[in-house]
Amino acid sequence: MSFHVQDLQAIEALIAFYAEAGIEFALDEEPHDRFAETEAEGRARAARASEAAGDNRGARAAPAGASPEPNRPPPFPQGAETADDAALAARAEARAAQSMEELRERLAAFDACGLKRTAKNLVFADGNPQARVMLVGEAPGRDEDLQGLPFVGRSGQLLDRMLATIGLDRTQVYIANIVPWRPPGNRTPTPQESAMCQPFLKRQIELCDPDILVCLGGPSAQALLGLTEGILRSRGKWFSYDTGRRTIRALATLHPAYLLRQPLQKRLAWRDLRALQKALQELPPRVD
Ligand code: URA
């Protein structure tokens, strides 16, 4: 096969476009015919609509034995037909989990959040699930997706250094994210994606039962504390958070990724870290 210069330029432009859009690597060994998938989806949708309307007109059923949506998890978990059903299923799944391990398993099997389809790994948590401090970030990035652990990339390394300044390491904190799968191109998770994953995160907080919750960045503070003002206004302030077992203290602070872009703001983060350190020192000893 011979290529013309124009072909090569077009391929180069396409790859540059993919890279800008955040598509950095192929997800599968085999190529997918997305046009065929879309047509099959359309046929399946039409068949469902026709069935719901109680007639056999309009839609041609997929040939016997053919899967209407090859290589795809179902859009909602088994038994869930709509986003509302899926949200109910998320709540039921999360509530049913009696331990962190069970919660991780149930989340790994949960198919209703679209982010799961493009992520390589579930990024459930890192650190000590019995810690007195739980930190919640926004979403896994590329390194986290590859390793299946939160905060292992550049912002994670900064987070480790920040924690070390107040004498903490990952054996003394528990770390999770608002969503446990990497959004394509590291975009901010949509409100729907956050909401779909929230029952699992809330149960994770309940099972960890920390004394202090730290929200890293605006999206985390919004999702968990319901804050609507910007993070630069809400950082450094203490809030209450109801874990389901009890009400604990919660602190909003700046996200390490923001601090990498705005290093001068580290002085604000340092104030928040000192406030966290003081609050930890004031905690009564834990009675287990
Ligand atoms: N940023 C986050 O919010 N979470 C991670 O796990 C990594 C980067």
Side-chain angles (χ1 to χ4, degrees), residues 14-234:
L14 186 63
I15 292 172
F17 170 78
Y18 281 156
E20 272 166 30
I23 302 165
E24 292 152 5
F25 45 77
L27 285 172
D28 291 305
E29 298 295 329
E30 296 297 323
H32 295 269
D33 183 349
R34 299 292 177 199
F35 292 109
E37 287 179 17
T38 309
E39 275 170 22
E41 268 174 35
R43 277 202 302 276
R45 226 186 346 264
R48 278 198 300 273
S50 162
E51 206 177 288
D55 66 36
N56 292 320
R57 281 171 290 128
R60 242 186 327 126
S67 163
E69 298 174 17
N71 302 325
R72 278 194 174 218
F76 300 118
Q78 226 172 11
E81 292 290 329
T82 65
D84 282 349
D85 287 350
L88 284 177
R91 276 203 286 279
E93 284 296 309
R95 246 199 317 263
Q98 296 306 310
S99 67
M100 255 343 164
E101 205 31 57
E102 191 184 342
L103 186 68
R104 177 203 276 270
E105 280 164 18
R106 286 177 182 273
L107 183 56
F110 186 70
D111 285 333
C113 178
L115 295 176
K116 183 180 178 184
R117 292 179 213 164
T118 48
K120 280 211 167 299
N121 282 302
L122 169 71
V123 178
F124 184 69
D126 194 21
N128 178 354
Q130 268 107 44
R132 302 192 82 173
V133 190
M134 178 163 172
L135 310 168
V136 180
E138 182 180 330
R142 182 173 182 273
D143 296 315
E144 289 76 19
D145 185 36
L146 291 174
Q147 293 187 41
L149 287 171
F151 283 101
V152 289
R154 276 186 72 221
S155 54
Q157 287 154 19
L158 175 58
L159 179 64
D160 286 343
R161 290 199 297 278
M162 289 162 64
L163 292 172
T165 61
I166 55 165
L168 295 178
D169 62 26
R170 291 198 186 209
T171 64
Q172 293 148 298
V173 299
Y174 186 64
I175 309 177
N177 279 306
I178 295 295
V179 294
W181 291 285
R182 179 197 184 194
N186 294 345
R187 63 166 169 74
T188 302
T190 64
Q192 290 79 4
E193 288 159 351
S194 301
M196 192 64 82
C197 299
Q198 200 169 88
F200 291 95
L201 176 63
K202 291 202 156 172
R203 183 73 179 133
Q204 203 172 4
I205 298 172
E206 189 178 0
L207 288 169
C208 175
D209 194 23
D211 294 303
I212 297 177
L213 181 68
V214 179
C215 295
L216 299 169
S220 172
Q222 270 163 27
L224 289 175
L225 308 176
L227 303 184
T228 48
E229 58 183 357
I231 188 68
L232 284 170
R233 279 186 177 276
S234 51

Side-chain angles (χ1 to χ4, degrees), residues 260-274:
L260 286 172
R261 295 192 301 273
Q262 304 286 338
L264 282 182
Q265 302 288 49
K266 284 184 188 163
R267 66 205 156 90
L268 299 177
W270 171 233
R271 278 189 218 158
D272 302 345
L273 283 166
R274 293 235 310 268

